[in-house]
């Protein structure tokens, strides 16, 4: 059962963000020591990883929940939903060839928030359980 809570937040783990940024820097530095095509590919990959790390830092927290509802931050703004608008909280699990995807889905009719384990910094199943408990506890 969920104890009295003012606000819960989920964001990418800082260690994963640091490793992503470090790998991006290494790839950008390695671009200097390769041929033209390798330089281009390493630079694109490095800049991509740096962009992901920057997003992790700038768009925090990805998901916030309190007794009033949930809010999700994105690059384009913030989505705020009171619990009365949330129709379903579920976990979407898919398996492909060598790929497994687990996403938290918060469905509010015209609005669908989908967040991965990396974006949440936690297992989407655990976050879904916590959100469901919070939603029940608040009415």
């Amino acid at each position: 059962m969920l104890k009295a809570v003012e606000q819960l937040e989920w964001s990418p783990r800082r260690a994963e963000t640091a490793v992503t940024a470090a790998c991006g820097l290494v790839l950008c530095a390695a671009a200097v020591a390769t041929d033209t095509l390798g330089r281009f590919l390493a630079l694109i990959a490095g800049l991509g990883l740096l962009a992901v790390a920057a997003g992790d830092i700038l768009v925090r927290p990805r998901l916030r929940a309190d007794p009033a509802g949930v809010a999700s931050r994105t690059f384009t703004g913030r989505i705020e939903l009171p619990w009365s608008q949330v129709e379903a909280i579920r976990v979407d699990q898919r398996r492909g060839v060598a790929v497994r995807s687990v996403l938290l889905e918060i469905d509010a009719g015209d609005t669908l928030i989908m967040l991965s384990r990396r974006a949440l910094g936690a297992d989407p199943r655990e976050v879904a359980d916590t959100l469901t408990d919070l939603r029940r506890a608040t009415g």
Side-chain angles (χ1 to χ4, degrees):
M1 191 65 173
L2 194 64
K3 297 178 183 174
V5 172
E6 287 188 27
Q7 185 170 296
L8 298 168
E9 294 182 351
W10 292 272
S11 296
R13 296 179 194 171
R14 293 186 190 279
E16 288 180 11
T17 300
V19 169
T20 302
C23 289
L25 289 173
V26 167
L27 281 169
C28 287
V32 177
T34 63
D35 62 348
T36 304
L37 182 57
R39 186 174 298 129
F40 175 75
L41 293 175
L43 193 59
I44 294 298
L47 291 174
L49 288 173
L50 288 173
V52 169
D56 287 354
I57 293 167
L58 297 173
V59 185
R60 291 182 80 85
R62 291 289 169 92
L63 183 65
R64 177 178 288 156
D66 59 30
V70 294
S72 178
R73 288 196 60 195
T74 66
F75 289 106
T76 59
R78 176 183 220 135
I79 300 168
E80 295 187 27
L81 300 169
W83 288 119
S84 60
Q85 289 183 2
V86 176
E87 294 176 7
I89 299 169
R90 60 183 169 262
V91 176
D92 180 39
Q93 299 182 55
R94 297 176 189 256
R95 292 183 189 267
V97 177
V99 177
R100 189 178 120 232
S101 169
V102 181
L103 296 173
L104 171 69
E105 292 184 356
I106 301 171
D107 188 356
D110 291 340
T111 304
L112 179 64
I113 299 170
M114 299 175 69
L115 297 165
S116 67
R117 190 217 54 83
R118 187 177 187 298
L120 293 167
D123 185 345
R125 292 173 283 248
E126 293 174 9
V127 176
D129 292 342
T130 302
L131 290 175
T132 301
D133 289 346
L134 179 60
R135 183 177 182 195
R136 283 188 192 134
T138 58

